[in-house]
Amino acid sequence: MVQEFRANAGKPGGPFAGSPLLLLHTIGARSGRERINPLMYQDLGYDRVAVFASANGSPTHPDWYHNLVANPTVIAEIGTEARRFRAHTATGEEREPIWSRQKQGSPGFAGFEARTDRQIPVVILEPI
């Protein structure tokens, strides 16, 4: 998927065609190695974006989320541009409207939420 994303100037195909997708570069919490994960995102304006640690509704957070918590400075490839961000997990009043919009715009996220007992983290990426 990473190669396809880059070959198509950041426009995903197949089941993700038309979806807002980015490539998130994190640093492994234990390994210290770079990891790249394709993720759907929500544009929050002012160069801010949100990503969602849904892991398709699994009972545990995805590895990329643990990496991001340990090392919150990340790079995100959006379209053909790579930018640096500082990540933080949204809580309370900051989280709720973003999560609600994501479930409305991409109903699969409501299904992920229904399959798990954990609260799916909403991660805000702020440009640095």
Side-chain angles (χ1 to χ4, degrees), residues 61-112:
H61 297 319
D63 290 344
W64 68 260
Y65 178 72
H66 296 290
N67 293 342
L68 180 143
V69 169
N71 299 298
T73 299
V74 299
I75 294 173
E77 293 179 53
I78 303 173
T80 58
E81 186 178 352
R83 296 183 289 173
R84 288 175 42 97
F85 291 91
R86 184 129 183 107
H88 75 273
T89 302
T91 58
E93 292 178 16
E94 181 183 37
R95 179 190 183 277
E96 194 50 42
I98 298 167
W99 181 240
S100 292
R101 275 193 309 272
Q102 189 64 21
K103 290 188 296 182
Q104 288 172 355
S106 298
F109 283 87
F112 302 153

Side-chain angles (χ1 to χ4, degrees), residues 2-124:
V2 171
Q3 290 172 341
E4 178 185 338
F5 179 94
R6 290 176 176 154
N8 293 313
K11 293 185 175 42
F16 295 103
S19 298
L21 199 72
L22 59 74
L23 298 180
L24 184 68
H25 298 240
T26 60
I27 301 299
R30 288 187 298 252
S31 71
R33 293 184 177 156
E34 181 182 53
R35 306 291 186 206
I36 301 174
N37 295 94
L39 301 171
M40 286 185 66
Y41 74 93
Q42 184 183 127
D43 187 343
L44 302 177
Y46 304 104
D47 293 328
R48 299 167 62 232
V49 297
V51 293
F52 309 91
S54 66
N56 296 321
S58 80
T60 60
H61 297 319
D63 290 344
W64 68 260
Y65 178 72
H66 296 290
N67 293 342
L68 180 143
V69 169
N71 299 298
T73 299
V74 299
I75 294 173
E77 293 179 53
I78 303 173
T80 58
E81 186 178 352
R83 296 183 289 173
R84 288 175 42 97
F85 291 91
R86 184 129 183 107
H88 75 273
T89 302
T91 58
E93 292 178 16
E94 181 183 37
R95 179 190 183 277
E96 194 50 42
I98 298 167
W99 181 240
S100 292
R101 275 193 309 272
Q102 189 64 21
K103 290 188 296 182
Q104 288 172 355
S106 298
F109 283 87
F112 302 153
E113 182 177 56
R115 285 196 291 269
T116 188
D117 292 331
R118 67 185 173 88
Q119 183 177 65
I120 294 173
V122 172
V123 178
I124 297 177

